[in-house]
Amino acid sequence: MSDCSDHDPNWVPYKERPEWNDVTPIPENDGPNPVVVIAHSEKFEDVYGYFRSVLQRNEKSKRALHLTKDAVELNPANYTVWQYRRDILKTLNTNLQSEFAYVESVIKQSPKNYQVWHHRRVLVEWLQDASLELELTKDALEQDPKNYHAWQHRQWVIKTFGLYSQEMEFVDILITEDVRNNSAWNQRYFVLNNHLGWSDLNVQKEICYTLEKIKFVKNNESAWNYLRGILLHDKRGLCGNAVVSSFCEDLYKNKCRSPYLLAFIIDMCDEAIKKDETNCLYNPERAIELCEALASKYDKIRTKYWNYLLERFRKCRGEQIINSNGLMDEIE
Amino acid sequence: MNNEENKDIAHRQHVKYFMRFLNILPPSLSSHDTTRVTIAYFSVAGLDVLGSISSMSLELRSRIIDWLYRLQVHPYKETGNMSICGFQGSSTINMDLEVTDSMCHYRCGHLAMTYTGLCILLALGDDLSRLNRKAIVEGVKALQTVEGNFAATLSGCESDMRFVYCAACISYILNDWSGFDIEKATDYILRSINYDYGIAQCPELESHGGTTFCALATLALTDQMHRLSEQQVEGLKRWLLFRQIDGFQGRPNKPVDTCYSFWVGASLKILDALQYSNYGSNRRYVYETQDSVVGGFSKWPDTCTDPMHTYLGLAGLSLIGENGLLEIEPTLNITKRAHTHLKSLHQQWAES
C-alpha cells in the first residue's frame, strides 16, 4: 500500500487538529529490542497513535469512524481496525448504504485483500441485502477473471440468497471470453451441482457443451477436468457414454495427441479394468501403450509419472493373466 | 540478471537478504504491519534452510525470541478467559484494554501468527518454556467453527483451509489436540475436495495448490491420510503433477510461480509422489527467479523479490534435494533439524 503523506498537501496530522486535542495518542510499544521493524511514515505513526488511544477509550463516535478510514487507507489488512469500524457503525446506527459504496471503493483499490471482502460479507449479512453483490463481483472479475476472493464472495451470496437464475449466462460469457478460465469452469460445476441438478438431460447437455469447447481448444485441462466432473454424475461412468467415447476415439484417430486426451483414455481403461469390463478399446494393453507414448513423446515433463502408471497397469495385466490361467485350471 | 551465474544458490546473498528483513523495513511495507511475525518466520526459516542459524549472533537470536514472547497474549487474571490466547502478529494493538469480553476481542492471538511464531522459536532452538501451552490450545479451540474449519482470530475474520492448517500445526507442535476436533476438520477437508481432485479453500470453490497443501498437511499431521480413497489419492497425484509446466502453477491455466515449487512440491512429498515430477525443470525455473546479486527470489523471473518467495523458493529446492540446503519437514514447513528439536521437547514434556 502506498503511503501518500508526502504527496497530500491537505493532510493535517491528528496531533495538530483542535477537535482531537482532548486525546493523547498512544505510541506503539514494541519492547526494548524489536526486530522486523517497519520504518512507518509519520502519517502512519500519527494515525495509529490516535487509533490505539480511541480503541483504549472505547470511543465510538463519528470522528472515531473517520479515523478508522484513515487507518484502513494506510493498512487495509488491519483486521482490528475493520472490526472496530463495524462496532462503531453498529453503535452509531449509521446508514449502511454509504458504507457499501465506501467498501466498494476499497475493494477496487485492494481486490485481493481478505479483510475488506470479509467486511463486505458482514455488511451483507447485517442488511440481508445482496442486491449489489453480483455486480460488485462481476466488476472485480472483469479486472481479474480468476480473483479467488471475488469468486468466494460470489459463491457465498449466490448460495445464501439463492441468486442462481442468471449465473449460467454469466459463466457462458466468461468461458466464451477465455475457454481456459478454470475458475469459470468451476463456477459452471457449482451452478449445476446446486441449482440445475444432474438430471440425465443436463448431463447430456453439459457433455455436448464441453465437447464443443474441447473441439475448439484440445489442449485445455480445464475443459477435460470438467468433463470428468460431469461424468461423476453419469451412472455409466467414464467409458459408458457413447457420445464421449466416440468423441475421444475420433480425436485419437485424427491424430490428436493432447496429453489430456491420452490421460482421459487411460482413465477409461482404468475404469474398465476396475469394473472388470475390459473390451477391445479399453484394456490394460492400451493403457500401457498410451502411458509409453506420453512418457516418451507427448508429455515428457511427466515421464516418471507415466512410467509409474505404466507399472501399475503392467501389474494388473499380470494379475489378469494369472486370474485367467486360474480359471483355465478350474475348467480343465 | 545473468542466468549463466544463476546455477547455484547465492548462499551468502540470501543470508544477507534475510538479515536485512530481520532488521528494518521500508515504509512501503506498512501494509504488512499486522503480520510482521510472518516476515520474521520467512527470514528465520530461510536462514535455517540455508544452514545459517549459527551465523546469527546469540544476541540477535535472543532478541527475536524475546520480541516474540512479548507478542504472546496471556489469559486475563480477572476472567480466566483463554479464548484470546495465542500470538499477535505485531505490537500494533498490544496496549492494555479494559477487561471485558467485548474489549478483549481487539487484542487476541491470530492462528497464522501463533503457528509461524512457534516455528521461529523452534528454528532458534528455544525450549518453549515461556509458552502458556494450555492457554494457546484453548485459543485454538475457540476458533473452530461448526463447519469444521477455523477462523484466524476471535473477531473480524474469515474462516477457511489456511487456518485449519495453522491450527493443526499448533496442536502438533504443542502435542495437544484437545483444541482441535479432528473428525470435524477431516470432514471439512473431504468436503473441499473438488471434481478435479484438487482441494479448495472451502467446499465448491476452485482447487488451489496452496489450499491443497494446507489440507494434505493437516491430514498427515492428524494421522488421517487413510481417509482418502485410492481414487482420491491417485486423483490428487495427477492434479498436483499436472501443475508442473516448467516450475509449478497453483491452478490449471495460471502462470507458474516460485512459491508453488513448495506448496505443490510438499503436497506431492506428503503423497510420496514428488519423485514423479521433473526436478530439472522445476530447479531451472526457481533459479530463473533468483536474484543472485542482492539475494532473494521472486515469483516470476525479473520481478521484485520478497521474503515469502525467497523462503518458499529455497524450501522448494530443498524438497528436491538441492545441495547446500537443509532438509525440510514438508508437513510443518520447518527444517528436519527444527523438527528433531521439537521431538526432543515432546520427549521432555512426556517425562516431566
Side-chain angles (χ1 to χ4, degrees):
Chain A
M1 231 343 85
S2 63
D3 176 0
C4 37
S5 59
D6 299 328
H7 316 291
D8 182 2
N10 298 321
W11 173 256
V12 179
Y14 278 80
K15 61 179 183 233
E16 288 168 19
R17 299 183 190 188
E19 71 273 26
W20 282 91
N21 65 13
D22 59 316
V23 176
T24 311
I26 301 176
E28 179 177 358
N29 176 6
D30 207 3
N33 289 305
V35 290
V36 255
V37 175
I38 301 177
H40 294 303
S41 65
E42 260 180 59
K43 181 180 181 181
F44 190 100
E45 300 288 5
D46 179 58
V47 167
Y48 275 89
Y50 280 83
F51 177 72
R52 274 184 286 273
S53 194
V54 158
L55 186 69
Q56 193 178 51
R57 294 151 55 107
N58 198 15
E59 176 183 322
K60 298 202 171 99
S61 61
K62 271 214 141 129
R63 68 174 185 178
L65 188 67
H66 190 83
L67 176 67
T68 58
K69 217 179 214 179
D70 284 330
V72 157
E73 194 179 311
L74 290 160
N75 178 14
N78 189 319
Y79 48 90
T80 316
V81 173
W82 282 111
Q83 179 62 30
Y84 195 60
R85 182 173 177 85
R86 281 190 292 276
D87 293 341
I88 299 173
L89 288 170
K90 224 170 195 173
T91 306
L92 298 184
N93 223 345
T94 318
N95 176 353
L96 294 176
Q97 291 310 326
S98 60
E99 188 69 4
F100 270 103
Y102 165 61
V103 184
E104 186 173 341
S105 71
V106 182
I107 286 178
K108 291 223 158 100
Q109 285 157 31
S110 313
K112 294 196 172 176
N113 170 299
Y114 282 97
Q115 288 71 30
V116 61
W117 283 105
H118 177 73
H119 188 68
R120 183 77 182 194
R121 175 163 162 169
V122 176
L123 292 181
V124 172
E125 278 173 336
W126 280 358
L127 285 182
Q128 287 296 303
D129 177 1
S131 58
L132 301 170
E133 302 318 289
L134 294 183
E135 199 57 31
L136 173 82
T137 46
K138 180 175 163 260
D139 289 348
L141 294 170
E142 265 165 21
Q143 299 305 307
D144 173 6
K146 300 176 182 179
N147 179 339
Y148 210 83
H149 303 265
W151 282 114
Q152 187 162 7
H153 187 72
R154 192 173 177 94
Q155 284 201 353
W156 173 74
V157 287
I158 289 176
K159 220 171 176 175
T160 311
F161 297 91
L163 306 176
Y164 292 98
S165 62
Q166 312 286 313
E167 194 59 4
M168 212 47 170
E169 256 173 73
F170 179 68
V171 167
D172 271 340
I173 293 168
L174 286 181
I175 293 180
T176 309
E177 276 170 8
D178 174 14
V179 76
R180 291 186 176 84
N181 181 346
N182 195 62
S183 310
W185 284 99
N186 186 72
Q187 188 73 348
R188 192 171 185 93
Y189 193 88
F190 171 80
V191 178
L192 259 298
N193 211 32
N194 292 290
H195 181 57
L196 300 176
W198 297 106
S199 64
D200 289 348
L201 180 66
N202 283 343
V203 168
Q204 275 314 317
K205 268 163 69 178
E206 286 308 293
I207 287 171
C208 292
Y209 176 88
T210 309
L211 298 184
E212 276 305 309
K213 299 296 177 192
I214 293 176
K215 224 185 266 176
F216 174 53
V217 179
K218 293 168 192 78
N219 236 338
N220 177 11
E221 184 183 356
S222 301
W224 282 104
N225 283 348
Y226 184 71
L227 180 62
R228 239 177 262 273
I230 310 166
L231 292 172
L232 293 173
H233 304 276
D234 187 328
K235 285 178 238 41
R236 295 163 298 181
L238 283 186
C239 43
N241 189 303
V243 178
V244 175
S245 51
S246 69
F247 174 83
C248 291
E249 296 312 324
D250 280 350
L251 279 185
Y252 191 82
K253 270 182 216 136
N254 288 315
K255 307 269 186 286
C256 172
R257 292 295 180 269
S258 157
Y260 306 112
L261 169 68
L262 303 193
F264 197 87
I265 300 176
I266 288 172
D267 290 348
M268 290 165 127
C269 295
D270 187 47
E271 188 189 83
I273 295 164
K274 284 190 176 124
K275 284 185 171 171
D276 217 0
E277 286 173 2
T278 51
N279 54 41
C280 58
L281 274 178
Y282 307 116
N283 53 58
E285 285 75 19
R286 186 159 185 222
I288 289 168
E289 189 190 308
L290 290 173
C291 286
E292 277 168 351
L294 283 160
S296 62
K297 194 162 179 191
Y298 300 112
D299 194 30
K300 280 160 87 173
I301 195 149
R302 272 167 286 276
T303 296
K304 288 182 193 155
Y305 172 65
W306 297 118
N307 283 335
Y308 152 77
L309 276 196
L310 185 144
E311 281 311 312
R312 284 170 64 99
F313 283 114
R314 276 207 180 125
K315 227 174 109 190
C316 76
R317 183 179 59 181
E319 279 163 13
Q320 262 192 350
I321 292 167
I322 292 164
N323 284 345
S324 59
N325 285 348
L327 198 66
M328 292 304 283
D329 290 345
E330 268 173 45
I331 292 167
E332 281 169 9
Chain B
M1 207 181 307
N2 186 346
N3 284 334
E4 280 307 300
E5 289 169 14
N6 247 338
K7 287 175 184 158
D8 290 303
I9 289 172
H11 193 280
R12 196 169 43 88
Q13 288 87 335
H14 296 315
V15 169
K16 279 190 178 166
Y17 182 86
F18 287 130
M19 289 293 195
R20 282 200 299 276
F21 275 92
L22 280 174
N23 189 22
I24 192 149
L25 312 172
S28 57
L29 293 179
S30 280
S31 64
H32 295 274
D33 179 55
T34 55
T35 51
R36 281 166 55 206
V37 169
T38 62
I39 300 176
Y41 161 72
F42 292 127
S43 306
V44 172
L47 288 165
D48 194 10
V49 77
L50 287 164
S52 296
I53 292 289
S54 56
S55 70
M56 299 166 79
S57 69
L58 286 174
E59 187 269 336
L60 175 60
R61 281 185 254 177
S62 67
R63 233 174 88 196
I64 298 169
I65 292 171
D66 290 345
W67 176 74
L68 274 172
Y69 276 117
R70 288 187 82 255
L71 295 172
Q72 182 178 200
V73 179
H74 291 283
Y76 283 102
K77 285 191 192 76
E78 294 85 344
T79 61
N81 179 1
M82 293 198 266
S83 63
I84 54 168
C85 296
F87 282 72
Q88 293 184 287
S90 71
S91 51
T92 312
I93 315 286
N94 75 347
M95 65 288 187
D96 290 330
L97 293 171
E98 205 185 322
V99 187
T100 61
D101 281 341
S102 62
M103 283 306 282
C104 69
H105 283 193
Y106 298 128
R107 184 172 174 262
C108 56
H110 183 292
L111 288 181
M113 305 308 142
T114 309
Y115 156 57
T116 50
L118 293 175
C119 291
I120 298 170
L121 292 173
L122 290 171
L124 294 176
D126 180 71
D127 64 2
L128 306 187
S129 62
R130 287 144 80 186
L131 289 180
N132 190 337
R133 271 150 47 197
K134 187 67 211 155
I136 293 173
V137 169
E138 286 300 315
V140 169
K141 190 174 191 166
L143 295 170
Q144 191 161 22
T145 72
V146 283
E147 268 202 85
N149 66 10
F150 285 79
T153 173
L154 267 188
S155 64
C157 186
E158 67 284 354
S159 53
D160 56 47
M161 196 65 82
R162 291 171 300 157
F163 306 121
V164 175
Y165 170 65
C166 293
C169 288
I170 296 165
S171 307
Y172 180 91
I173 291 170
L174 300 182
N175 205 16
D176 183 342
W177 291 91
S178 60
F180 188 108
D181 186 327
I182 293 177
E183 196 49 47
K184 269 163 71 180
T186 306
D187 175 61
Y188 179 79
I189 291 170
L190 297 177
R191 281 189 291 117
S192 301
I193 301 179
N194 212 342
Y195 63 84
D196 58 12
Y197 295 103
I199 309 178
Q201 188 76 280
C202 65
E204 302 200 90
L205 261 179
E206 186 184 3
S207 304
H208 187 286
T211 50
T212 300
F213 167 78
C214 290
L216 286 177
T218 302
L219 290 178
L221 290 166
T222 53
D223 208 9
Q224 297 295 310
M225 287 299 283
H226 62 277
R227 300 287 291 277
L228 295 171
S229 67
E230 193 202 339
Q231 180 122 359
Q232 286 169 329
V233 169
E234 293 307 312
L236 272 158
K237 286 180 191 169
R238 168 85 61 85
W239 187 84
L240 288 161
L241 287 162
F242 268 45
R243 302 285 59 75
Q244 183 161 28
I245 306 300
D246 43 12
F248 288 87
Q249 59 189 185
R251 294 182 255 166
N253 292 323
K254 289 269 285 180
V256 296
D257 174 332
T258 294
C259 70
Y260 295 108
S261 288
F262 178 79
W263 302 125
V264 176
S267 303
L268 284 165
K269 185 94 180 170
I270 291 168
L271 292 170
D272 191 24
L274 182 60
Q275 66 273 24
Y276 306 132
S277 68
N278 187 317
Y279 289 7
S281 298
N282 181 10
R283 184 176 183 274
R284 266 193 301 282
Y285 177 76
V286 175
Y287 273 115
E288 276 177 42
T289 66
Q290 174 176 250
D291 185 331
S292 51
V293 180
V294 291
F297 288 79
S298 49
K299 63 169 159 179
W300 299 324
D302 301 316
T303 52
C304 261
T305 63
D306 63 72
M308 184 185 90
H309 285 89
T310 304
Y311 170 65
L312 292 172
L314 290 169
L317 287 173
S318 161
L319 288 174
I320 56 173
E322 188 72 1
N323 280 335
L325 295 176
L326 264 59
E327 227 182 307
I328 291 275
E329 175 63 41
T331 50
L332 286 176
N333 202 358
I334 58 177
T335 59
K336 296 234 184 222
R337 190 194 67 84
H339 188 245
T340 305
H341 171 55
L342 172 64
K343 284 292 164 194
S344 75
L345 292 178
H346 285 180
Q347 189 72 33
Q348 284 173 31
W349 296 344
E351 284 161 7
S352 65

